[in-house]
C-alpha cells in the first residue's frame, strides 16, 4: 500500500490481512479488460503486468510493489485499462470495502489515494480574494418598491444604517438606490422629496453570482467605479456586497495586489506590484488553495493591470470613436496563469469605424501592450498582441479570420484557431464579443474536416509516458531528465478541453470548466470527464507546487519538473494521471468522446 498505519492498528492489520486474497496468473493471461467491473485493488507481489489503454496502446509496465485498478475502483467500479500478465505473477487483491475503510480511517492512506478519488486539498477560503460573494454580502437586504418616494428611501437608509437599498418589483431586482444617488440625483438636482425612486435609482445594476470570488468583486468595483454589487441567483436578490463589507473582511493575497494596481499611475508602478506575484503563488500553494482558484487569482491581477492600463490610455486619448472590446487569449483568456506568463491579447471594434477612426485603436493597443511589457508581462514571442495590426481589427475582419481558419485548416490555421478559440473579454463593450463567439463556435462545430484537423494537431502534444513503468523525461539539453509540465502536462488536457468546447459549442474558455461541461452535456462520457478532471487537477497542482518550490528557493519559476522532487506516491499518481490523458486522447482520436 505504501502508507504506514499507526502501531495501535494491530486489530486493523489483522482484519486487513485476513481480507487479502492471493492469486497466481500465468504469463499471457488477462487479469481484467477495460470496461470490466472492478471489485478489488490489485497489488503485484512479483512478476510482470502490462497496462494497455482501451484501444490497445501500451501505457506502462508494472513490477513488484505496484498496485493497479484503483482508478476504476474509486470511481464507478469499471476498469479504465486492460491488465495483461507478461511474466508469471502473484497478485494480492484487497476488497473495495476494505480500501474505502482504510481511506476513511487513516490520513496517510487517504493522502495516497486522494488524487485518484478526486478533489484538491484546501479548506474553505479565509481571505477576501478567495471568499465567495455569498460569504461577503450583507443580509438581510433593505428594499423598497419602484414607486416609493425618495424621502421614504432616505428614511429606510437612516433607520437601518445602510448606504444602499434594493429596488424590487414582483420579487425581482430592478435597480438599486445609494446614498450617492440621493445626493447627486435628488439634492444636487433640486428634485422634490416625493420623486419616485424609479426616476433616480440605478436601473439594471451590475450583479454577481453567489459563487463569484472576492477578487471578482474588487475588480468589478474598480473597473466600474461603483461601491455596491447585488448578488443575484436566477433573478432573485440574495444580498449586496458593499465596500464596507470588503473593509470588514480582512483582505490579503491577490486582493492587495488588485487594489495596488488600481491605484497605480503608471506601468512602472504596476511592475512593483506584479513583482510580488511569485510570492503570491507560493502563498496560495502553501495554503492548499485549489489550482483552479490559484490560477484564477493570479489571472485577476493580470486583468486588473490590463484594465488599469486601458483606463490610463483612454484618459490620454479621449473617448473611443466606436464601441470596442479588449480580448485576452492564451492562459489569461483561460484564467489559468501561473508564475510564468507573457501577454496574449487582441482588440475587436465595431464595423461602423471609419478609416479615420482606426488610428485611435492602434494607439490604444500600443499603449496597453507596451505598458504590460513594462509591468512584467513580456511581449508574446509569436506577436499575438493587439499592437500587431493583424490582431486589431473590426468585427467583420475577425469573422473572415475564423472563416479562413475553419474552411482552410492549414498548420498555421490550426495554431491560430487553438489560440483564438480561448478568447475572453476583459474590457470595453462586451456585447461585441457576443456577436463573435457563438457564431464562431457554431461555425467550427459544423465543419467535420476542421474538427479532424484540430484533433490531429492536438495529438501532437502527448503525455510523457515511458514504456518501462516510469515517466519519460527530456533526454538532453538544459532540462535533461525533467518533465515539461506545460507542454506535456497541462497542454494535452487544455487541447482536449478546447476540442470538447468546439464539439459541444461550450462558451467557457477555462479548461476545467470545459471538461466539467463536456461531461454534463454528453460531449464526452460523465466518467471520462470525471477522470480527466481528476488527472488535470493533479497535473496542474504538481506544476504549481514545483513553481512554488523554486520561488521559496529564491529562483525564477519554470515548468520543468524533476521527478525526483516527488515522492513515490506522487510519481505513481502522476503516471496514472498521464495514463488517463493518453486514454482520452486515444478515444477522441478514434472518433469517440471517451471510453465507456
Amino acid at each position: 500500500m505504501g502508507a504506514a498505519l499507526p502501531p495501535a492498528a494491530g486489530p486493523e492489520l489483522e482484519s486487513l490481512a485476513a481480507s487479502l486474497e492471493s492469486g497466481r496468473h500465468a504469463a499471457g493471461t488477462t487479469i481484467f479488460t477495460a470496461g470490466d467491473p472492478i471489485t478489488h485493488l490489485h497489488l503485484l507481489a512479483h512478476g510482470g503486468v502490462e497496462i494497455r489503454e482501451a484501444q490497445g496502446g501500451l501505457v506502462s509496465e508494472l513490477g513488484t510493489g505496484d498496485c493497479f485498478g484503483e482508478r476504476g475502483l474509486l470511481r464507478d467500479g469499471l476498469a479504465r485499462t486492460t491488465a495483461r500478465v507478461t511474466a508469471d505473477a502473484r497478485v494480492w487483491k484487497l476488497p473495495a470495502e476494505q480500501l474505502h475503510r482504510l481511506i476513511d480511517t487513516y490520513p496517510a492512506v487517504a493522502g495516497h489515494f486522494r488524487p485518484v478519488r478526486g478533489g484538491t486539498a484546501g479548506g474553505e477560503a479565509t481571505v477576501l480574494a478567495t471568499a465567495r460573494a455569498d460569504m461577503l454580502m450583507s443580509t438581510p437586504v433593505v428594499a423598497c418598491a419602484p414607486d416609493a418616494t425618495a424621502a421614504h428611501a432616505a428614511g429606510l437608509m437612516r433607520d437601518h444604517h445602510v448606504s444602499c437599498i434594493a429596488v424590487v418589483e414582483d420579487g425581482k431586482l430592478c435597480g438599486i438606490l445609494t446614498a450617492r444617488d440621493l445626493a447627486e440625483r435628488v439634492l444636487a438636482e433640486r428634485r422634490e422629496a416625493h420623486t419616485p425612486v424609479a426616476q433616480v435609482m440605478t436601473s439594471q445594476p451590475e450583479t454577481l453570482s453567489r459563487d463569484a470570488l472576492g477578487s471578482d468583486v474588487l475588480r468589478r468595483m474598480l473597473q466600474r467605479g461603483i461601491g455596491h454589487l447585488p448578488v443575484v441567483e436566477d433573478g432573485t436578490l440574495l444580498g449586496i456586497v458593499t465596500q464596507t463589507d470588503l473593509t470588514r473582511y480582512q483582505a490579503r493575497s491577490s486582493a492587495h495586489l488588485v487594489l495596488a494596481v488600481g491605484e497605480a499611475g503608471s506601468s512602472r508602478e504596476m511592475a512593483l506590484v506584479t513583482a510580488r506575484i511569485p510570492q503570491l503563488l507560493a502563498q496560495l500553494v502553501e495554503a492548499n488553495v485549489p489550482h483552479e482558484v490559484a490560477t484564477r487569482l493570479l489571472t485577476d491581477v493580470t486583468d486588473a493591470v490590463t484594465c488599469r492600463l486601458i483606463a490610463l490610455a483612454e484618459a490620454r486619448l479621449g473617448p473611443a470613436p466606436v464601441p470596442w472590446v479588449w480580448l485576452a487569449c492564451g492562459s489569461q483568456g483561460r484564467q489559468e496563469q501561473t508564475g510564468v506568463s507573457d501577454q496574449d491579447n487582441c482588440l475587436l471594434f465595431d464595423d461602423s469605424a471609419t478609416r479615420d477612426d482606426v488610428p485611435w485603436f492602434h494607439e490604444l493597443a500600443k499603449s496597453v501592450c507596451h505598458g504590460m511589457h513594462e509591468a512584467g508581462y513580456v511581449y508574446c514571442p509569436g506577436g499575438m498582441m493587439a499592437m500587431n495590426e493583424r490582431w486589431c481589427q473590426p468585427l467583420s475582419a475577425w469573422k473572415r479570420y475564423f472563416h479562413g481558419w475553419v474552411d482552410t485548416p492549414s498548420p498555421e490555421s490550426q495554431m491560430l484557431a487553438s489560440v483564438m478559440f480561448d478568447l475572453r473579454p476583459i474590457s470595453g463593450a462586451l456585447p461585441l464579443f457576443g456577436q463573435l463567439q457563438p457564431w464562431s463556435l457554431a461555425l467550427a462545430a459544423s465543419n467535420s474536416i476542421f474538427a479532424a484537423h484540430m484533433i490531429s494537431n492536438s495529438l501532437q502534444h502527448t503525455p510523457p509516458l515511458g514504456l518501462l513503468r516510469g515517466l519519460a523525461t527530456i533526454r538532453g539539453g538544459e532540462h535533461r531528465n525533467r518533465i515539461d509540465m506545460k507542454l506535456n502536462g497541462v497542454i494535452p488536457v487544455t487541447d482536449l478541453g478546447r476540442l470538447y468546447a468546439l464539439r459541444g459549442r461550450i462558451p467557457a474558455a477555462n479548461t476545467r470548466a470545459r471538461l466539467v461541461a463536456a461531461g454534463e452535456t454528453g460531449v464526452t462520457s460523465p466518467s471520462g470527464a470525471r477522470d480527466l478532471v481528476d488527472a488535470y487537477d493533479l497535473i496542474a497542482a504538481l506544476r504549481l507546487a514545483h513553481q512554488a518550490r523554486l520561488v521559496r528557493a529564491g529562483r525564477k519559476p519554470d515548468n520543468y519538473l524533476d521527478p525526483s522532487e516527488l515522492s513515490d506516491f506522487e510519481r505513481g499518481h502522476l503516471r496514472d494521471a498521464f495514463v488517463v490523458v493518453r486514454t482520452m486522447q486515444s478515444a477522441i482520436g478514434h472518433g469517440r468522446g471517451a471510453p465507456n
Side-chain angles (χ1 to χ4, degrees):
M1 293 290 295
L5 302 181
E12 193 70 47
L13 286 173
E14 293 178 5
S15 174
L16 175 65
S19 65
L20 286 172
E21 303 172 14
S22 177
R24 296 186 180 275
H25 303 268
T29 60
T30 298
I31 298 177
F32 56 75
T33 302
D36 286 350
I38 294 287
T39 58
H40 293 73
L41 174 69
H42 297 73
L43 301 100
L44 186 55
H46 66 76
V49 172
E50 65 178 15
I51 304 296
R52 290 186 175 271
E53 60 191 9
Q55 290 74 34
L58 182 63
V59 171
S60 60
E61 296 182 352
L62 308 181
T64 300
D66 284 333
C67 61
F68 54 100
E70 66 266 37
R71 184 163 292 279
L73 185 65
L74 296 174
R75 268 304 188 189
D76 53 11
L78 298 178
R80 294 288 180 272
T81 52
T82 295
R84 181 178 176 274
V85 180
T86 55
D88 290 353
R90 184 181 183 187
V91 177
W92 290 96
K93 294 166 57 177
L94 180 68
E97 57 270 19
Q98 282 283 12
L99 176 60
H100 286 293
R101 183 178 175 185
L102 290 171
I103 289 174
D104 294 337
T105 305
Y106 300 104
V109 180
H112 175 45
F113 285 103
R114 183 178 289 115
V116 177
R117 207 173 193 189
T120 307
E124 186 175 275
T126 58
V127 295
L128 174 61
T130 56
R132 286 172 31 137
D134 58 1
M135 296 170 58
L136 300 169
M137 64 188 185
S138 299
T139 56
V141 177
V142 180
C144 71
D147 57 358
T149 66
H152 176 70
L156 289 175
M157 290 185 190
R158 179 200 61 200
D159 295 340
H160 292 275
H161 306 288
V162 295
S163 60
C164 170
I165 61 174
V167 184
V168 178
E169 186 173 33
D170 298 327
K172 301 295 182 182
L173 177 71
C174 60
I176 61 172
L177 183 71
T178 67
R180 180 177 175 180
D181 292 332
L182 289 174
E184 294 182 353
R185 300 175 184 176
V186 179
L187 293 177
E189 295 182 10
R190 299 184 179 181
R191 292 176 181 251
E192 297 294 335
H194 59 262
T195 299
V197 165
Q199 294 182 17
V200 293
M201 69 180 185
T202 298
S203 301
Q204 297 180 332
E206 186 101 3
T207 64
L208 292 167
S209 62
R210 68 188 309 160
D211 58 355
L213 299 179
S215 59
D216 296 326
V217 177
L218 277 170
R219 182 162 49 83
R220 295 277 190 92
M221 286 184 173
L222 288 171
Q223 186 175 347
R224 306 298 186 192
I226 55 180
H228 304 78
L229 276 170
V231 180
V232 175
E233 184 95 350
D234 296 327
T236 301
L237 179 66
L238 302 180
I240 295 178
V241 181
T242 69
Q243 289 180 336
T244 302
D245 294 325
L246 302 185
T247 301
R248 291 194 187 108
Y249 204 97
Q250 186 178 6
R252 291 193 304 157
S253 298
S254 65
H256 281 163
L257 303 193
V258 169
L259 284 169
V261 166
E263 296 171 353
S266 68
S267 55
R268 291 185 179 181
E269 292 181 18
M270 294 179 211
L272 299 176
V273 179
T274 59
R276 293 152 56 189
I277 287 178
Q279 289 300 325
L280 169 61
L281 165 66
Q283 291 169 12
L284 293 171
V285 171
E286 289 169 356
N288 292 320
V289 174
H291 76 90
E292 69 273 17
V293 176
T295 54
R296 179 174 170 180
L297 296 176
L298 295 173
T299 306
D300 282 347
V301 180
T302 312
D303 288 355
V305 169
T306 306
C307 291
R308 182 59 178 156
L309 288 169
I310 288 172
L312 292 174
E314 285 184 299
R316 179 173 57 84
L317 296 172
V322 299
W324 57 276
V325 60
W326 187 276
L327 302 166
C329 46
S331 59
Q332 185 185 2
R334 297 189 303 272
Q335 294 181 296
E336 294 167 5
Q337 291 197 301
T338 65
V340 185
S341 297
D342 56 8
Q343 58 173 295
D344 298 282
N345 47 62
C346 50
L347 184 60
L348 182 160
F349 51 87
D350 192 81
D351 283 332
S352 62
T354 65
R355 180 176 299 180
D356 293 337
D357 294 332
V358 173
W360 189 96
F361 297 105
H362 290 167
E363 286 300 315
L364 173 69
K366 290 177 183 177
S367 179
V368 175
C369 291
H370 290 325
M372 291 194 71
H373 180 78
E374 291 183 351
Y377 301 95
V378 299
Y379 296 129
C380 172
M384 194 72 67
M385 296 173 290
M387 63 184 287
N388 181 340
E389 292 186 12
R390 184 182 184 186
W391 309 123
C392 180
Q393 295 289 332
L395 175 63
S396 57
W398 280 102
K399 288 190 173 183
R400 287 196 299 272
Y401 285 162
F402 277 95
H403 253 305
W405 298 330
V406 172
D407 293 343
T408 312
S410 65
E412 183 190 33
S413 295
Q414 294 165 32
M415 182 274 292
L416 292 174
S418 295
V419 175
M420 294 306 179
F421 276 110
D422 293 348
L423 292 174
R424 180 173 62 89
I426 302 297
S427 183
L430 305 189
L432 262 180
F433 183 58
Q435 297 180 44
L436 178 67
Q437 189 192 37
W439 174 87
S440 60
L441 287 175
L443 182 70
S446 64
N447 191 312
S448 58
I449 296 177
F450 171 74
H453 279 277
M454 288 290 287
I455 290 172
S456 176
N457 182 62
S458 71
L459 297 182
Q460 296 179 23
H461 302 133
T462 58
L465 287 170
L467 294 180
L468 299 175
R469 301 177 54 195
L471 299 166
T473 58
I474 299 171
R475 295 184 178 181
E478 179 185 358
H479 305 297
R480 184 173 180 268
N481 296 329
R482 297 177 182 272
I483 297 171
D484 188 335
M485 292 294 285
K486 178 181 179 181
L487 183 63
N488 301 113
V490 298
I491 284 183
V493 187
T494 298
D495 288 343
L496 285 170
R498 186 182 302 110
L499 291 171
Y500 296 148
L502 296 180
R503 179 177 289 180
R505 305 185 187 187
I506 298 169
N510 177 263
T511 297
R512 198 177 193 278
R514 283 171 165 174
L515 300 180
V516 172
E520 293 175 345
T521 58
V523 175
T524 187
S525 69
S527 61
R530 288 195 300 269
D531 282 346
L532 194 52
V533 167
D534 279 356
Y536 179 58
D537 284 345
L538 179 64
I539 294 167
L542 289 179
R543 178 194 183 197
L544 283 183
H546 162 71
Q547 293 188 1
R549 281 192 292 271
L550 292 177
V551 172
R552 287 193 293 269
R555 297 165 58 189
K556 185 178 180 179
D558 63 29
N559 293 301
Y560 299 98
L561 171 70
D562 184 342
S564 66
E565 296 179 25
L566 308 177
S567 67
D568 290 341
F569 292 161
E570 289 173 319
R571 282 196 296 272
H573 284 311
L574 182 58
R575 183 197 63 195
D576 290 343
F578 287 144
V579 168
V580 170
V581 177
R582 179 168 168 174
T583 300
M584 298 297 283
Q585 284 184 324
S586 296
I588 202 166
H590 285 78
R592 299 185 291 117
N596 292 309

